[in-house]
Amino acid sequence: MRRALPVAVLALCGSLLRADGLADLKAALKGLPQPAKVKVRIEEDSQEREEGKDRTEHRTVVVEDGPDGSRILEDSRPAPAQAGQGEAKSGGKKGGGKKEGGAKGPVKRNGDFRDALRPSEGLLEQLEKARLLEEKAETRDGRPARRLKLAMDLDLDAEARSHLKQANHEATVWIGQDGLPMAMTHRIEMKARVLLFASVWTKIEIQRRFQWHQNRLLLLDEQADVQGAALGKTFSAKDTTRCTPQP
């Protein structure tokens, strides 16, 4: 019985010395292989309200991404006409539709869809200055997970910080047994003073889910909700993004 006590103590010390969830998450993201080529359909819906006026927009694109970068193959948004040329020559189609010549266009390094196609890159940047506040074991989408509560850096310059009255950015991320993220939420709230007496208030909540496809991490879906007030006027915005891998 006496020999069992040191063994139990050593086992307990080993569990305490195990890397925390934040370290495991960063290690898993850094250890991801070079992204293989993939084709993804991305649907975006946005709604903005300011001074009682609503503006909505829908966009669907098919993007191919690989080691050489990404390029848009299809785009429901009409392409802008080139100077001195008509819409037909610029490759746009009235009312949307397939973008002519999209597959042969110039390759863009991640383009505007980096967070959807390569979320690990943005996550690593955000986690660089994050602090682990809490870690708990729970279940997410029917799978065992570790829930991490993080204090995040707002990444503001000195001038912007000088106007802040209150600022908070917390995130919660669920990671699987492989250390990779399953889902993540951001909650940001800021109050700032501009001019002499005017104030600005902003609250942002972002919910993301991730998927594993063809040996690479992709965004599954994202919902962003923004509310705020500035100079006595209120504004709000809601954005939804859905990603579906294509054959």
Side-chain angles (χ1 to χ4, degrees):
M1 293 295 294
R2 291 182 179 181
R3 292 181 58 84
L5 181 60
V7 173
V9 172
L10 288 175
L12 176 61
C13 291
S15 65
L16 293 176
L17 292 174
R18 181 176 59 86
D20 60 49
L22 178 57
D24 290 344
L25 174 58
K26 291 192 286 188
L29 292 173
K30 292 177 181 178
L32 287 175
Q34 179 74 10
K37 183 176 289 188
V38 70
K39 186 164 64 172
V40 180
R41 178 186 179 91
I42 302 175
E43 297 180 80
E44 297 178 327
D45 289 285
S46 63
Q47 179 181 359
E48 296 181 8
R49 168 170 286 191
E50 187 174 1
E51 298 182 10
K53 297 180 180 179
D54 291 342
R55 185 177 69 87
T56 61
E57 183 178 348
H58 174 80
R59 184 184 185 187
T60 300
V61 297
V62 176
V63 186
E64 183 181 73
D65 183 71
D68 295 329
S70 62
R71 58 184 178 183
I72 297 175
L73 304 181
E74 299 179 23
D75 193 345
S76 64
R77 180 183 295 174
Q82 298 178 7
Q85 294 184 355
E87 188 178 68
K89 292 184 179 180
S90 68
K93 285 188 177 182
K94 189 174 182 179
K98 185 174 180 179
K99 181 180 179 182
E100 304 252 352
K104 298 180 181 178
V107 173
K108 297 181 180 180
R109 291 285 177 178
N110 301 323
D112 296 329
F113 306 100
R114 173 187 171 193
D115 288 342
L117 298 170
R118 305 190 183 200
S120 60
E121 297 178 1
L123 280 173
L124 280 171
E125 293 177 5
Q126 296 172 7
L127 296 173
E128 191 63 32
K129 297 180 181 179
R131 291 184 295 107
L132 180 64
L133 301 177
E134 182 183 70
E135 178 175 348
K136 288 186 176 181
E138 59 178 48
T139 301
R140 174 80 189 200
D141 297 331
R143 297 157 52 195
R146 294 154 70 187
R147 188 191 69 181
L148 314 179
K149 185 177 180 181
L150 308 174
M152 308 293 287
D153 184 71
L154 285 169
D155 194 23
L156 300 175
D157 57 29
E159 182 179 357
R161 291 182 183 276
S162 67
H163 295 285
L164 287 178
K165 297 172 57 180
Q166 178 183 346
N168 183 53
H169 182 186
E170 287 190 353
T172 303
V173 58
W174 290 261
I175 62 176
Q177 293 179 316
D178 55 3
L180 292 174
M182 303 166 63
M184 188 172 188
T185 63
H186 291 265
R187 291 180 176 86
I188 306 169
E189 188 167 2
M190 293 185 293
K191 294 181 180 179
R193 184 179 300 278
V194 295
L195 303 177
L196 292 177
F197 304 104
S199 61
V200 177
W201 168 78
T202 305
K203 183 178 180 180
I204 304 171
E205 182 168 339
I206 302 172
Q207 300 182 36
R208 294 190 177 108
R209 293 192 301 165
F210 304 96
Q211 59 183 318
W212 185 254
H213 177 73
Q214 291 185 359
N215 205 33
R216 63 180 289 168
L217 187 69
L218 295 170
L219 181 73
L220 175 61
D221 54 44
E222 174 184 296
Q223 296 183 12
D225 191 348
V226 180
Q227 301 178 43
L231 303 176
K233 299 178 181 180
T234 62
F235 60 88
S236 63
K238 292 185 178 181
D239 295 311
T240 302
T241 303
R242 296 174 295 277
C243 301
T244 307
Q246 301 295 290

